[in-house]
Amino acid sequence: MMSVPFSGLAKGLAVTLRTMTKKTVTEQYPDVQPDLPPRTRGVIGLFEENCTVCMLCARECPDWCIYIDSHKETVPAAAPGGRERSRNVLDRFAIDFSLCMYCGICIEVCPFDALFWSPEFEYAETDIRELTHERDKLREWMWTVPAPPALDPHAEEPKEIAAARKSADKLAAAQAAEQAEQFAEQNPDQEGEL
């Protein structure tokens, strides 16, 4: 099979001529902020109160860009005769964004919802060493995390909420029965009115 000379050049020029006639669309980025989709992966925010220092995020990170330091602290017994407990206290939580590939594995594996995607993307630095954000900076990003989408009104109620509502209804019914019993004991002549 013989190829036609200059066919590649002709195809390239055809593409050039087609795109020359179309109107260009230019985003005026620094002056006009882009309209980002709600699930934009910008930077990772840390909700420090939920972190139990389980280290799952650091272990599962394929780039090893999460640095966590902690120490154990003894918590006194809640009730007399109880035993003391120990808990991990977070000393350092840092993410090196010069290594991070924004895969989101750390957010997915966190069992306590301590890590979230923030749509913020303007955190460039002049020095690569400043791209390691410590927990105070990650905490600041947390305030830019959008609220989760509303639940579907026709969706089935989550099992956890249904179980909690069932136990709350049982407790309320038991309290109402106890109050009715106390009222009946205090007012024996008004028993039919209740």
Side-chain angles (χ1 to χ4, degrees):
M1 183 167 143
M2 191 169 137
S3 112
V4 179
F6 303 109
S7 66
L9 179 62
K11 287 180 185 176
L13 286 173
V15 170
T16 303
L17 289 173
R18 268 196 313 264
T19 56
M20 279 178 56
T21 59
K22 292 182 181 175
K23 183 180 178 185
T24 60
V25 179
T26 304
E27 302 251 348
Q28 304 298 326
Y29 163 61
D31 301 325
V32 179
Q33 290 294 320
D35 187 22
L36 300 172
R39 293 177 48 129
T40 299
R41 292 182 174 190
V43 73
I44 298 169
L46 170 69
F47 191 55
E48 198 173 323
E49 288 79 11
N50 285 0
C51 183
T52 61
V53 197
C54 65
M55 305 282 202
L56 274 175
C57 55
R59 277 185 277 160
E60 296 296 325
C61 179
D63 290 331
W64 293 84
C65 65
I66 300 175
Y67 310 112
I68 301 175
D69 291 328
S70 68
H71 69 275
K72 289 210 181 272
E73 192 174 84
T74 304
V75 179
R83 61 177 209 185
E84 294 180 338
R85 307 262 181 201
S86 68
R87 68 179 181 104
N88 290 326
V89 178
L90 186 65
D91 292 329
R92 180 181 187 222
F93 193 106
I95 300 177
D96 187 352
F97 285 104
S98 66
L99 295 175
C100 183
M101 64 181 187
Y102 303 92
C103 63
I105 292 174
C106 57
I107 296 169
E108 295 296 323
V109 300
C110 181
F112 302 104
D113 289 333
L115 298 172
F116 295 90
W117 281 119
S118 167
E120 295 294 321
F121 61 93
E122 298 177 315
Y123 55 94
E125 300 288 346
T126 56
D127 187 4
I128 196 169
R129 292 173 290 198
E130 293 176 15
L131 281 173
T132 301
H133 293 181
E134 298 292 333
R135 69 182 185 179
D136 56 341
K137 185 68 173 174
L138 297 174
R139 175 69 167 182
E140 288 176 28
W141 294 120
M142 190 60 211
W143 304 120
T144 62
V145 172
L151 296 175
D152 182 7
H154 304 296
E156 185 179 311
E157 186 176 45
K159 295 177 199 167
E160 296 86 356
I161 294 175
R165 179 169 288 124
K166 187 176 179 182
S167 63
D169 290 345
K170 281 183 181 178
L171 181 63
Q175 288 176 344
E178 185 178 320
Q179 288 175 351
E181 192 175 298
Q182 287 176 355
F183 181 77
E185 288 176 5
Q186 292 172 355
N187 304 318
D189 54 337
Q190 299 177 353
E191 192 172 321
E193 294 177 13
L194 186 66

